[in-house]
């Protein structure tokens, strides 16, 4: 079993090097609207159906968003995402986000992304015309397990949004959250679905149980080594997209974060998350440098 595990990791890294070279992506997100979400996702602190300490506020000003985008650029991020709570944006919210995107495009050299929930093609097209590069919309878990964690919208609604993202020519960022009770079979199903719909970036989140949510009283159901195994399985299935460590990586992986980049991961979300802080960005920048150096040595050795 141990030999199989290490061979899986080795082969996953070979796939990463072969299909993506030494690329290491860095992105940052900003919580531009928080709380009072109508949906009942079991893990989410921002659901109006949960009682948590998550902040509640409306859309941030474009000036404040700019300050965060500039900081993300300083940290080395190539993508900066505006994330808003809710099932989807109202027309007035969409107009404000479009104005913010235009404002950012004129003032900071960074690719702008957005995560605004379920949205139609007209809205996505307007975002793209404003300068949006990528839209984020996680599938969260497998098709089979999804009804267990959310009852207020369906898995197909998420898939249809992703199809709309692709239809208008935007890049698509879509991934999952691990440790919410899913099985290994579910994790394989997630990877296969993401391959089928052709996403460009795959964020992998790990559950941080938040008091007041439906999963708040349950520890993450995945161990650090199972996360590493899942990353390797994802890389074998998803050969060309970025595989990005995102929320919960500090708690879910602990001292094993570096091993994720030996198992096929090659991107990182830095600077904190929506309702939980991240670690010191300097540690992440050091991790990036060390991972690239490891990949170089691995590649050179494999080519001998």
């Amino acid at each position: 079993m141990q030999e199989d595990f290490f061979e899986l990791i080795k082969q996953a890294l070979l796939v990463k090097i072969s299909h993506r070279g030494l690329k290491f992506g860095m992105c940052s997100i900003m919580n531009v609207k928080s709380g009072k979400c109508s949906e009942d996702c079991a893990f989410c602190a921002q659901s109006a159906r949960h009682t948590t300490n998550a902040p509640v506020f409306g859309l941030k000003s474009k000036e404040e968003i700019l300050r965060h985008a500039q900081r993300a650029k300083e940290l080395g991020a190539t993508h900066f995402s505006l994330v808003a709570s809710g099932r989807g944006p109202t027309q007035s919210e969409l107009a404000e986000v479009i104005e913010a995107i235009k404002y950012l495009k004129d003032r900071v050299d960074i690719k702008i992304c957005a995560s605004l929930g379920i949205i139609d093609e007209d809205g996505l097209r307007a975002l793209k015309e404003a300068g949006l590069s990528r839209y984020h919309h996680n599938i969260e878990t497998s098709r089979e397990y999804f009804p267990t964690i959310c009852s207020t919208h369906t898995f197909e609604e998420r898939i249809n949004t992703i199809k709309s993202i692709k239809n208008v020519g935007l890049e698509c960022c879509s991934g999952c959250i691990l440790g919410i009770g899913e099985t290994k079979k579910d994790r394989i199903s997630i990877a296969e679905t993401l391959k089928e719909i052709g996403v460009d970036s795959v964020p992998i989140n790990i559950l941080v149980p938040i008091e007041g949510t439906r999963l708040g009283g349950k520890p993450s159901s995945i161990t650090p080594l199972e996360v590493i195994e899942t990353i390797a399985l994802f890389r074998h299935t998803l050969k060309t997209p970025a595989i990005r460590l995102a929320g919960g990586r500090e708690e879910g992986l602990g001292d094993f974060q570096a091993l994720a980049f030996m198992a096929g991961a090659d991107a990182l979300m830095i600077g904190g998350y929506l309702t939980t802080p991240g670690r010191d960005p300097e540690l992440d920048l050091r991790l990036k440098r060390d991972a690239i150096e490891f990949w170089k040595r691995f590649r050179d050795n494999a080519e001998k």
Side-chain angles (χ1 to χ4, degrees):
M1 178 63 71
Q2 287 182 345
E3 290 181 0
D4 291 343
F5 176 80
F6 289 113
E7 185 63 21
L8 176 70
I9 290 176
K10 176 184 175 182
Q11 293 301 321
L13 186 50
L14 286 170
V15 171
K16 182 273 186 288
I17 297 294
S18 174
H19 289 269
R20 291 184 52 79
L22 302 179
K23 290 181 182 178
F24 191 116
M26 299 187 77
C27 73
S28 184
I29 65 174
M30 179 183 179
N31 195 5
V32 299
K33 176 195 170 192
S34 182
K36 294 186 177 180
C37 180
S38 62
E39 308 307 282
D40 70 348
C41 300
F43 51 81
C44 186
Q46 298 195 59
S47 171
R49 300 161 189 262
H50 298 151
T51 303
T52 71
N53 292 321
V56 177
F57 53 79
L59 279 170
K60 296 282 190 177
S61 70
K62 60 186 180 183
E63 291 82 8
E64 186 171 354
I65 294 172
L66 174 62
R67 288 195 293 272
H68 282 261
Q70 290 170 331
R71 175 57 176 159
K73 175 70 175 179
E74 290 171 2
L75 291 175
T78 58
H79 293 73
F80 176 71
S81 186
L82 285 60
V83 183
S85 64
R87 178 184 176 89
T90 65
Q91 285 301 310
S92 62
E93 288 172 341
L94 182 61
E96 285 189 61
V97 171
I98 287 171
E99 182 63 27
I101 292 169
K102 292 178 179 178
Y103 188 75
L104 295 181
K105 292 294 288 184
D106 289 338
R107 290 166 175 81
V108 59
D109 182 21
I110 196 168
K111 291 184 178 180
I112 309 301
C113 313
S115 180
L116 311 176
I118 296 170
I119 187 171
D120 61 21
E121 287 191 19
D122 288 341
L124 289 163
R125 196 170 289 109
L127 289 167
K128 183 183 178 185
E129 290 172 357
L132 194 76
S133 297
R134 179 181 290 174
Y135 195 88
H136 167 264
H137 196 64
N138 279 345
I139 62 172
E140 307 297 15
T141 190
S142 71
R143 183 187 306 271
E144 299 80 9
Y145 192 61
F146 190 87
T148 304
I149 65 158
C150 182
S151 66
T152 49
H153 61 270
T154 66
F155 190 82
E156 285 308 315
E157 285 179 280
R158 288 189 174 263
I159 295 297
N160 289 337
T161 295
I162 293 170
K163 288 179 179 178
S164 294
I165 296 166
K166 304 290 289 185
N167 287 344
V168 304
L170 284 167
E171 292 182 1
C172 179
C173 177
S174 183
C176 62
I177 180 167
L178 302 176
I180 58 176
E182 80 288 346
T183 64
K184 183 175 179 178
K185 184 177 179 180
D186 288 313
R187 294 165 198 156
I188 293 171
S189 177
I190 293 166
E192 290 174 345
T193 297
L194 293 172
K195 178 183 178 180
E196 180 182 338
I197 57 184
V199 300
D200 301 286
S201 175
V202 179
I204 295 180
N205 301 276
I206 306 164
L207 178 68
V208 177
I210 297 173
E211 186 177 352
T213 66
R214 279 198 284 135
L215 295 181
K218 301 178 181 179
S220 172
S221 63
I222 192 169
T223 67
L225 290 182
E226 286 174 321
V227 174
I228 300 299
E229 179 186 51
T230 302
I231 289 168
L233 288 169
F234 272 37
R235 179 52 75 198
H236 281 283
T237 304
L238 299 154
K239 294 179 171 56
T240 57
I243 294 181
R244 187 179 310 277
L245 290 190
R249 60 185 170 93
E250 293 88 355
E251 296 87 346
L253 281 170
D255 293 334
F256 284 88
Q257 281 195 66
L259 185 54
F261 294 94
M262 302 175 196
D266 61 357
L268 198 60
M269 185 180 291
I270 61 171
Y273 313 108
L274 296 180
T275 60
T276 55
R279 69 175 188 166
D280 184 342
E282 287 301 320
L283 295 176
D284 288 335
L285 292 172
R286 187 186 309 161
L287 175 58
K288 175 184 177 178
R289 292 192 295 268
D290 291 345
I292 293 173
E293 178 60 27
F294 178 87
W295 292 342
K296 286 178 180 177
R297 296 189 184 191
F298 181 88
R299 178 197 61 188
D300 294 345
N301 184 67
E303 290 175 350
K304 288 182 180 178

